[in-house]
Amino acid sequence: MENFRITIGRQYGSGGREVGRILAGKLGIPFYGKEELIEIARKQPDYEEVRAFYEEQPVNSLLYAIAMGEGERRTGEVPFERIRRLCGDRSCILIGRCGSYIFREDPSCVKIFIYADIDKKIQWIEKQEHVSARRAKMLIEKVEEERAQFHKFYTGGNWGNVNDYDLCLDAGVTGTEKAADIIMAYLENRGLIKHE
């Protein structure tokens, strides 16, 4: 198996993180979600400089860039370089953090987007967060707006644009296990893994 990266963008409540965990287990490769990235980043001396990026905190003003001392440099330059260094040349799965943008020119990167219809997302959030359907819908709207702002801020592009991905899956229809199986078949068809 050659080394490759899988980036997973996901709608809130679609099960994208779970799909990534299942894939990491099937492939035996590292999984980098929010908690894993923060744990690694905290050990670095410049954690505070890139903390908002690792935590995927919503950003919506130029003041943040100025506060980070980025000046006229590309806002994401420092955190993007940290992510590239973390992933290195080994195979891994990266959840969120503008991964499809960071590795957009890497031919060994498979860019996935996981989505689901609103009813499925509400059900998922109700179960995972133990909240009412009304609260779940509000959370979905808030988190997805923040993700769109975060992506726009760091990349200048629109979050969830189908043209930025190799494969888009409705995990609300397939479920997370089947979505992972479909991605495994896709990796095999691309010649990145061998059928066992």
Side-chain angles (χ1 to χ4, degrees):
M1 172 172 80
E2 75 175 78
N3 288 329
F4 57 89
R5 273 143 300 290
I6 298 173
T7 64
I8 299 179
R10 74 281 179 232
Q11 290 180 336
Y12 186 58
S14 66
R17 181 179 170 79
E18 179 66 18
V19 171
R21 281 202 178 283
I22 294 167
L23 275 174
K26 287 178 180 282
L27 294 165
I29 62 177
F31 171 88
Y32 299 122
K34 179 179 180 177
E35 290 81 13
E36 294 79 10
L37 288 171
I38 290 172
E39 185 178 326
I40 293 166
R42 279 191 177 138
K43 296 172 185 166
Q44 304 303 315
D46 60 353
Y47 172 65
E48 287 303 316
E49 183 180 353
V50 293
R51 186 175 109 199
F53 180 82
Y54 281 110
E55 294 178 4
E56 220 173 36
Q57 290 179 353
V59 288
N60 56 12
S61 76
L62 187 59
L63 293 176
Y64 174 80
I66 293 167
M68 291 292 98
E70 294 293 324
E72 292 187 14
R73 288 186 335 175
R74 186 92 182 109
T75 305
E77 188 176 316
V78 172
F80 289 178
E81 185 51 39
R82 299 290 187 286
I83 295 288
R84 284 188 202 98
R85 208 176 324 146
L86 171 70
C87 292
D89 292 330
R90 68 184 172 277
S91 295
C92 66
I93 293 175
L94 175 65
I95 303 293
R97 310 308 171 286
C98 305
S100 64
Y101 181 84
I102 294 170
F103 293 106
R104 68 193 178 283
E105 295 176 11
D106 181 350
S108 67
C109 180
V110 178
K111 297 171 285 296
I112 310 288
F113 191 79
I114 304 294
Y115 65 97
D117 73 28
I118 188 65
D119 292 335
K120 295 286 186 178
K121 291 189 293 186
I122 288 171
Q123 289 172 14
W124 178 274
I125 297 302
E126 280 182 293
K127 182 178 173 188
Q128 296 297 314
E129 303 295 327
H130 309 289
V131 295
S132 68
R134 183 172 173 271
R135 177 72 178 139
K137 187 172 190 290
M138 289 170 53
L139 281 171
I140 290 164
E141 290 169 358
K142 177 181 181 287
V143 171
E144 290 190 357
E145 176 61 27
E146 288 171 354
R147 285 183 181 170
Q149 288 177 3
F150 179 88
H151 191 85
K152 184 77 161 180
F153 183 81
Y154 283 102
T155 72
N158 294 322
W159 174 71
N161 182 349
V162 70
N163 294 320
D164 294 335
Y165 301 95
D166 301 311
L167 184 64
C168 297
L169 286 171
D170 184 343
V173 171
T174 66
T176 54
E177 281 286 345
K178 188 65 175 171
D181 289 342
I182 291 167
I183 296 168
M184 290 291 285
Y186 180 78
L187 296 173
E188 186 181 333
N189 284 332
R190 280 205 27 190
L192 296 170
I193 62 172
K194 291 188 168 116
H195 181 68
E196 304 203 359

